Amino acid sequence: NAGVTQTPKFRVLKTGQSMTLLCAQDMNHEYMYWYRQDPGMGLRLIHYSVGEGTTAKGEVPDGYNVSRLKKQNFLLGLESAAPSQTSVYFCATSGPNSNQPQHFGDGTRLSIL
Amino acid sequence: AQKITQTQPGMFVQEKEAVTLDCTYDTSDQSYGLFWYKQPSSGEMIFLIYQGSYDEQNATEGRYSLNFQKARKSANLVISASQLGDSAMYFCAMREYTGRRALTFGSGTRLQVQP
């Protein structure tokens, strides 16, 4: 099983461009999350979803939008990329039990010039 | 709000020795989970160990153990018999038991194992 798959793995954008990061899971998990990781910091929650058709803001949602039209996919969009959004983005999923770990994708390294 | 503090930006340990990575947390929740993740230089996040707030015994997973002291709000990771492959970033994280059930991460500790 693939688990949690993120595409693309790397991307370079110019300021003002838009793009969508895709997270796909085959674990049938309800909960899905987008985090960003910046140098010297832990992962911070951008947006999350507790089920198909639902999304909500995390700690650092500004400049991002998300959609979860299908249970297995969670999309993160940047409408107008800014250099401050240069980061590594991780998608994670989990089942309903809070004692279960979140499963992470391998990350997307995004650079905004 | 939850907060995780890891006060050791970097640690060195000799191969085959044990090492303790510190983690303290702050929360007003009665129920929560504490997790440790490893991030090697390749970048993926690898789950290591979990401790529930109501677990009476410290968690162990192979060479990893979690020294949980609830009254002191600490959840230190102990790695026994360090190996060169243990060199990585280590993150302590707390998970909410209700609502969004998201993880709150500390800033991490970079561990370097020396031969």
Side-chain angles (χ1 to χ4, degrees):
Chain A
N1 286 339
V4 182
T5 303
Q6 291 183 232
T7 54
K9 296 189 184 306
F10 304 93
R11 187 75 183 268
V12 179
L13 290 179
K14 294 181 179 179
T15 298
Q17 287 185 319
S18 63
M19 78 161 294
T20 300
L21 281 65
L22 170 64
C23 177
Q25 55 121 344
D26 62 5
M27 307 176 79
N28 202 35
H29 284 164
E30 292 291 339
Y31 293 81
M32 296 189 75
Y33 307 87
W34 277 107
Y35 296 91
R36 62 177 286 174
Q37 182 180 24
D38 300 303
M41 302 179 71
L43 281 67
R44 293 181 293 168
L45 183 66
I46 305 171
H47 285 281
Y48 66 98
S49 169
V50 300
E52 180 179 319
T54 73
T55 63
K57 295 180 180 180
E59 274 81 46
V60 289
D62 294 344
Y64 305 96
N65 55 73
V66 288
S67 65
R68 187 144 179 227
L69 300 179
K70 295 182 179 180
K71 184 177 183 178
Q72 63 267 34
N73 295 336
F74 194 28
L75 279 64
L76 178 70
L78 286 73
E79 291 185 345
S80 179
S84 61
Q85 294 177 303
T86 294
S87 189
V88 180
Y89 292 86
F90 285 97
C91 174
T93 75
S94 71
N97 297 324
S98 296
N99 61 352
Q100 296 172 325
Q102 291 187 3
H103 299 265
F104 285 82
D106 288 341
T108 295
R109 186 173 296 276
L110 183 62
S111 295
I112 316 293
L113 304 179
Chain B
Q2 300 183 330
K3 184 177 181 181
I4 298 286
T5 302
Q6 294 180 253
T7 58
Q8 307 156 312
M11 291 278 287
F12 289 92
V13 65
Q14 291 294 120
E15 195 177 7
K16 300 181 183 178
E17 292 185 349
V19 63
T20 298
L21 306 184
D22 294 340
C23 172
T24 58
Y25 61 91
D26 190 22
T27 182
S28 57
D29 294 341
Q30 294 300 311
S31 301
Y32 50 87
L34 294 158
F35 297 79
W36 278 90
Y37 283 84
K38 173 184 179 181
Q39 186 178 43
S41 57
S42 51
E44 70 270 29
M45 297 292 287
I46 302 169
F47 164 70
L48 295 178
I49 196 166
Y50 160 82
Q51 178 85 40
S53 58
Y54 289 110
D55 293 342
E56 294 185 351
Q57 294 201 346
N58 288 339
T60 60
E61 289 286 349
R63 293 186 299 110
Y64 304 108
S65 60
L66 202 153
N67 184 0
F68 181 50
Q69 298 186 45
K70 192 171 182 178
R72 297 181 61 183
K73 293 190 174 179
S74 72
N76 299 339
L77 177 70
V78 181
I79 305 175
S80 63
S82 296
Q83 302 173 355
L84 295 178
D86 293 334
S87 294
M89 281 290 288
Y90 289 81
F91 291 99
C92 180
M94 172 181 287
R95 189 174 190 191
E96 308 155 7
Y97 268 21
T98 60
R100 64 186 192 180
R101 304 184 189 189
L103 287 168
T104 300
F105 285 84
S107 56
T109 295
R110 181 171 298 280
L111 177 66
Q112 292 184 267
V113 181
Q114 297 176 321

